[in-house]
Amino acid sequence: MISRPLGAMAAALLWLAATPVLAGDPARGKEKAAVCFACHGEQGKSPSPAFPHIGGQHEEYLLKALTDYKVGRRKNPIMAAQAANLTPSDMADLAAYFASQPGVLYLKR
């Protein structure tokens, strides 16, 4: 018999192995991201502490977050509404765009 934590880890690994990796296009993502800019800023640097900075975040993380909002694994009424009509390709493009932006800890030299 498999313990719950081990079983959950095995299920997660199987899910990851079965999930195709979509290669997002940052240019297409920027075209689709206009609605995101009000809360997250054009480069993913939120103008308000009420919304997270997403610029420079890992692409895979952003894609998973959007997917989780769409299917209800993450709970936020604003993001659930935004993600509801996104296709997997839309989400991959948005994730690629925001991941391509400098993060908030980016230092210009």
Side-chain angles (χ1 to χ4, degrees), residues 87-104:
T87 67
S89 179
D90 292 337
M91 291 187 285
D93 293 342
L94 289 167
Y97 170 70
F98 283 110
S100 73
Q101 301 305 299
V104 294

Side-chain angles (χ1 to χ4, degrees), residues 59-105:
E59 187 171 349
E60 297 81 9
Y61 171 80
L62 293 170
L63 180 57
K64 180 167 179 2
L66 285 170
T67 302
D68 287 350
Y69 285 123
K70 183 174 178 76
V71 301
R73 281 189 294 257
R74 283 183 89 159
K75 307 292 184 195
N76 180 286
I78 295 170
M79 285 304 301
Q82 294 300 321
N85 293 317
L86 295 175
T87 67
S89 179
D90 292 337
M91 291 187 285
D93 293 342
L94 289 167
Y97 170 70
F98 283 110
S100 73
Q101 301 305 299
V104 294
L105 298 179

Side-chain angles (χ1 to χ4, degrees), residues 33-54:
V35 71
C36 307
F37 296 161
C39 297
H40 295 290
E42 188 168 343
Q43 291 187 320
K45 293 181 182 132
S46 176
S48 166
F51 306 106
H53 297 297
I54 58 175

